[in-house]
Each structure stands twice: as structure tokens, then as C-alpha cells.
């Protein structure tokens, strides 16, 4: 059975889903999105993701076509209709349909939503770790807005896979910004967790924020400051965070092992804490 998706007020099989070629999300990447993880049929950190969505909408003078209560209903309905126990709910708000013109038109926005089944808890990647390469960060300078403008991230991820790695960490002015779809962390020999501070240079990761909060509650020191690839290669551990990965250890950067070259205990502990604590507030 195919997935049931949601397009502008209607649920339908994915094969029947249609949207205009004049949709500005297609023509201009004039759209924002967010993605919320699902465990045991419930949404994780939902308020955080919807809060970020509203911020992204405001930054682009976009409005949501539905109110918050209906948005939660749509998430739950898609989970139910697609029998999602573990996975992701993706949503995208586009400016709408209008003849091609660079100036924002006064039209109704579009809303598209779908689900993806995905192994989140027992992921072998979480046990084995990932390898990353470094790539120059050539993206625009409003990375804090979660837009669908992801072409360079896709290019960097593809380059990493072609090089035999799993992902790329992007570097600007000699310092790591973030991964292609995740936030980057290192753990120093003294046990400090280091990650770049929030700004327009990186996405304001919801999982990033929550993992940092749980780490501090566990008496782990978190420092928000940039670091270089060389510092990451010399760290005791490294890891990434995102809604789809939770916490994944990074075991190699540009061909050089991080620490002992195997997943370390601190990243594993952070993953365990996150999975345990985040489910307490799932909706």
C-alpha cells in the first residue's frame, strides 16, 4: 500500500498527489520546512519544531495555511493513516501559486506533508559511527532559516558518499559550521562538549538544543564556540545531532580517526539520555 500524503487540504495516495508547476517552492525554493521524529507513534520535541517553523515563516514573510491545532491534528492523522511507529513527519509551507515573478505575490500558501518510516532507535549507524569529510561552506548566509534551498547540502553529501564517507562537515573561514543536515560537536580530552554558537551561520537545531539541555542536566559541561577541522581530528570524540539521527558518533574526519577511531562513551551516553528523556514529553 502506498503512503497517504497531505496536499493543500486533502489526504491522498502519494501517486495521486499533485501541485502546480507555478508553485513558488518549485520555481524559487520559496518555501520552508520542518521534520519531526516519531517514536512509538508519538511526536518528539513537537513544540520545538513548530516553534522553529513559525520563526522560519516570519523571516520570509510567510504565513501558515492552518492553525496550530489543525497542524497537530494533521501530524497525528498522517501517523495513524500510515501506521508510523518509528520515523519522520515532514511538512513544507510554500508561498503559493503565481506566475513567475521575483516579487512576492499576494497568494494563498501551500502546505504539503508526508511520512517516512525510519529506524531510529536500533540504527546500526549509531553503533558503528560515521565518517565525514570537510567541504568549503558555499551556502547563503541565512542558514538559520530552514528553507528548502538545500542544493549545496545535497552536493556536499553526494561528494562525501563518492569519497567513501557518510557526510560532510562544512567549513567557513577555517572553522566548522555544521553538517549537511545536522549540527556538529566535539568532546575535548577534559570532557567538554563543544559546538558552534547559534547565529545566522547555522541551523538552530531542535535536537541540538535538547541534547545540550540534557547534557547540562547530567552535569556535563557544554561550551558554545567554533572549532576547526584540526581541533575536531584531535578531539577525544565527535558527534552530530539531528531529528533523524538523535546522536551519531563521528569516528573519522578527512581520513583521520577521531580518538580511538571507534564510537566513544560520551556520545553513547548522550544518545541514551536523549532517547530516554525526550519520550517523556512526546505527544
Amino acid at each position: 500500500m502506498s503512503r497517504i500524503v497531505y496536499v493543500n487540504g486533502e489526504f491522498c495516495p502519494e501517486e495521486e498527489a499533485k501541485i502546480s508547476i507555478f508553485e513558488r517552492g518549485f520555481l524559487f525554493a520559496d518555501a520552508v520546512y520542518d521534520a519531526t521524529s516519531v517514536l512509538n507513534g508519538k511526536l518528539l520535541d513537537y513544540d520545538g519544531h513548530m516553534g522553529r517553523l513559525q520563526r522560519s515563516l516570519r523571516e520570509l514573510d510567510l504565513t501558515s495555511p492552518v492553525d496550530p491545532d489543525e497542524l497537530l491534528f494533521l501530524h497525528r492523522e498522517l501517523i495513524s493513516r500510515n501506521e508510523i511507529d518509528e520515523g519522520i513527519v515532514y511538512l513544507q509551507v510554500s508561498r503559493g501559486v503565481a506566475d513567475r515573478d521575483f516579487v512576492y505575490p499576494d497568494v494563498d500558501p501551500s502546505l504539503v506533508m508526508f511520512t517516512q518510516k525510519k529506524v531510529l532507535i536500533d540504527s546500526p549507524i549509531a553503533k558503528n559511527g560515521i565518517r565525514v569529510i570537510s567541504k568549503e561552506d558555499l551556502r547563503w548566509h541565512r542558514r538559520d532559516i530552514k528553507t528548502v534551498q538545500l542544493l549545496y547540502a545535497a552536493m556536499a553529501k553526494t561528494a562525501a558518499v563518492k569519497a567513501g564517507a557518510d557526510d560532510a562537515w562544512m567549513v567557513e573561514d577555517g572553522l566548522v559550521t555544521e553538517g549537511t543536515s545536522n549540527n556538529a560537536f566535539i568532546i575535548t580530552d577534559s570532557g567538554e562538549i563543544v559546538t558552534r554558537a547559534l547565529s545566522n551561520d547555522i541551523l538552530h537545531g531542535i535536537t541540538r538544543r535538547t541534547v545540550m539541555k540534557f547534557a547540562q542536566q547530567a552535569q556535563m559541561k557544554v561550551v558554545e564556540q567554533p572549532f576547526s577541522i584540526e581541533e575536531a581530528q584531535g578531539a577525544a570524540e565527535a558527534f552530530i545531532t539531528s531529528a533523524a539521527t538523535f546522536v551519531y558518533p563521528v569516528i573519522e574526519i578527512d581520513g583521520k580517526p577521531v580518538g580511538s577511531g571507534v564510537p566513544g562513551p560520551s556520545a553513547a551516553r548522550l544518545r541514551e539520555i536523549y532517547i530516554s528523556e525526550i519520550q517523556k514529553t512526546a505527544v
Side-chain angles (χ1 to χ4, degrees):
M1 184 178 71
S2 66
R3 280 179 297 183
I4 300 300
V5 302
Y6 176 88
V7 180
N8 289 333
E10 295 184 357
F11 292 98
C12 64
E14 61 180 287
E15 298 87 355
E16 298 176 15
K18 296 179 181 178
I19 199 157
S20 171
I21 65 167
F22 295 107
E23 165 59 54
R24 286 179 61 91
F26 172 65
L27 294 177
F28 291 100
D30 190 359
V32 300
Y33 77 101
D34 220 296
T36 306
S37 296
V38 178
L39 272 184
N40 300 316
K42 292 187 176 182
L43 296 153
L44 305 184
D45 226 337
Y46 180 77
D47 288 343
H49 286 283
M50 293 306 101
R52 181 174 62 184
L53 174 68
Q54 293 303 319
R55 180 183 182 277
S56 293
L57 290 169
R58 288 193 301 270
E59 291 298 310
L60 294 184
D61 294 326
L62 275 165
T63 57
S64 174
V66 298
D67 64 32
D69 289 341
E70 179 156 2
L71 201 53
L72 178 56
F73 166 78
L74 294 174
H75 277 79
R76 287 173 167 165
E77 188 69 12
L78 282 172
I79 290 170
S80 175
R81 293 192 184 210
N82 292 289
E83 300 179 347
I84 303 296
D85 181 65
E86 203 167 316
I88 303 287
V89 180
Y90 174 99
L91 74 87
Q92 176 174 312
V93 179
S94 305
R95 194 167 304 275
V97 178
D99 205 357
R100 192 176 189 279
D101 190 326
F102 280 82
V103 178
Y104 290 169
D106 184 13
V107 292
D108 293 330
S110 297
L111 174 62
V112 171
M113 299 177 64
F114 60 84
T115 59
Q116 292 178 314
K117 290 185 176 181
K118 182 179 176 68
V119 175
L120 300 176
I121 297 293
D122 294 324
S123 168
I125 302 174
K127 298 175 182 177
N128 299 327
I130 67 169
R131 294 171 169 82
V132 303
I133 63 171
S134 60
K135 295 288 289 183
E136 183 181 1
D137 199 336
L138 299 177
R139 299 171 298 163
W140 79 321
H141 286 278
R142 287 307 309 273
R143 303 158 194 161
D144 56 307
I145 307 173
K146 198 170 176 69
T147 74
V148 300
Q149 188 183 131
L150 297 171
L151 181 58
Y152 186 71
M155 292 171 65
K157 178 91 169 185
T158 301
V161 172
K162 287 183 177 180
D166 302 291
D167 199 11
W169 275 8
M170 290 176 277
V171 178
E172 186 172 62
D173 298 327
L175 300 170
V176 174
T177 51
E178 58 191 345
T180 60
S181 59
N182 47 70
N183 291 114
F185 293 76
I186 61 172
I187 301 176
T188 67
D189 289 334
S190 63
E192 290 183 347
I193 300 169
V194 182
T195 191
R196 193 180 183 109
L198 295 182
S199 68
N200 291 353
D201 295 330
I202 65 170
L203 181 69
H204 297 191
I206 301 304
T207 306
R208 169 194 181 276
R209 181 183 70 184
T210 304
V211 167
M212 290 169 62
K213 179 182 75 172
F214 291 156
Q216 290 167 332
Q217 290 174 352
Q219 307 304 310
M220 302 171 80
K221 185 175 181 181
V222 179
V223 179
E224 292 185 87
Q225 65 183 35
F227 56 84
S228 67
I229 288 292
E230 292 74 23
E231 288 175 302
Q233 290 170 328
E237 296 182 46
F239 64 93
I240 61 169
T241 61
S242 75
T245 64
F246 301 161
V247 176
Y248 276 0
V250 174
I251 61 171
E252 182 183 289
I253 302 172
D254 283 340
K256 295 184 178 181
V258 177
S260 60
V262 297
S266 296
R269 182 185 178 203
L270 285 169
R271 180 178 173 84
E272 290 174 2
I273 292 171
Y274 177 82
I275 292 172
S276 173
E277 293 299 317
I278 198 62
Q279 293 186 79
K280 296 177 181 178
T281 57
V283 297

